[in-house]
Amino acid sequence: MTNPQWNAVDTYFTDTIAPADEALTAALAGSVAAGLPEIAVAPNQGKLLHLLARIQGARSILEIGTLGGYSTIWLARALPTDGRLITLEYDPEHAEVARTNIARAGLDKIVEVRTGAALDSLPQLEAEGAGPFDLFFIDADKVNNPRYVEWALKLSRPGSVIIVDNVVRGGRITTPDPDDPAITGTRELFELVAAEPRLDATALQTVGAKGYDGLLLARVIG
């Protein structure tokens, strides 16, 4: 198969069972207009996040890595009206774009965008007693993925679900590369999850409009 075929299949899936709407389309367009990198999840992947949150019965979600808020909108739409989603974004300009997109989608009452390094924000959440969260979506700088999962465990409960995006690295995950911190961090993530008795996990490879990648899915069991 070729990338055009992957793209065509993703388009078919999206058009038939995960169609865009005005808020989602505007979120992507607003992000592009603001100069954000075009690395948001694909629409069918966003729908997957939405369904996982609904299957989980999530009432509280923590997202690490907001970008323009596209995945945030998909996740927040899975919450009940009294649910809450906190999303952490390092870049203040990205955070402002996300706030605009989230407000346009009518979700600003249940979504809070916090700006700053996640490894600074996460201890603050713990100090505030913000957890436990029912679902975590981690899609930020890959070198810190192990630390983010450690923090997710601290802010979780038995039954919480942790999703980590971009773990295949175009297939390069199989080969250590000391010159690539994203590979190093992702391999450390897998080693941490494999050794952590409180996590039951798997990982999947994906192909599509976002190329060759994949995600890790874990459930907190203790």
Side-chain angles (χ1 to χ4, degrees):
M1 292 184 67
T2 64
N3 284 352
Q5 288 176 302
W6 298 346
N7 295 347
V9 171
D10 261 10
T11 298
Y12 175 75
F13 288 163
T14 297
D15 289 347
T16 52
I17 57 176
D21 56 36
E22 184 177 349
L24 291 167
T25 300
L28 291 177
S31 297
V32 171
L36 273 60
E38 297 183 45
I39 55 173
V41 299
N44 56 332
Q45 294 169 344
K47 185 65 176 289
L48 174 63
L49 294 174
H50 174 86
L51 288 173
L52 289 172
R54 294 196 68 182
I55 291 166
Q56 169 70 352
R59 301 182 65 84
S60 60
I61 296 174
L62 178 62
E63 179 182 49
I64 303 176
T66 315
L67 194 62
Y70 183 74
S71 58
T72 316
I73 293 170
W74 276 111
L75 288 165
R77 284 178 169 178
L79 291 170
T81 55
D82 61 345
R84 61 173 180 152
L85 188 155
I86 297 175
T87 182
L88 309 180
E89 173 55 44
Y90 176 78
D91 190 306
E93 294 183 3
H94 293 183
E96 282 306 308
V97 173
R99 290 187 183 101
T100 298
N101 288 334
I102 290 162
R104 186 190 296 113
L107 296 166
D108 49 318
K109 300 297 189 221
I110 62 172
V111 175
E112 178 187 358
V113 181
R114 296 198 180 193
T115 307
L119 292 179
D120 294 332
S121 299
L122 289 162
Q124 294 172 4
L125 288 174
E126 182 184 41
E128 294 168 11
F133 293 92
D134 301 317
L135 185 141
F136 301 82
F137 180 51
I138 300 171
D139 187 11
D141 56 308
K142 311 312 171 187
V143 67
N144 283 316
N145 272 344
R147 309 292 80 77
Y148 297 149
V149 169
E150 289 171 344
W151 271 106
L153 276 169
K154 291 180 183 180
L155 297 169
S156 70
R157 59 166 177 81
S160 292
V161 169
I162 302 170
I163 305 164
V164 185
D165 202 10
N166 306 131
V167 299
V168 172
R169 314 308 304 164
R172 293 179 295 121
I173 186 60
T174 59
T175 305
D177 185 352
D179 296 323
D180 188 334
I183 297 292
T184 300
T186 305
R187 288 177 64 90
E188 185 184 345
L189 162 71
F190 275 92
E191 292 162 7
L192 182 153
V193 171
E196 176 52 69
R198 293 172 292 171
L199 290 176
D200 189 17
T202 191
L204 300 173
Q205 303 177 77
T206 61
V207 296
K210 297 299 177 179
Y212 174 36
D213 213 325
L215 57 85
L216 179 144
L217 179 67
R219 184 172 184 267
V220 179
I221 58 175

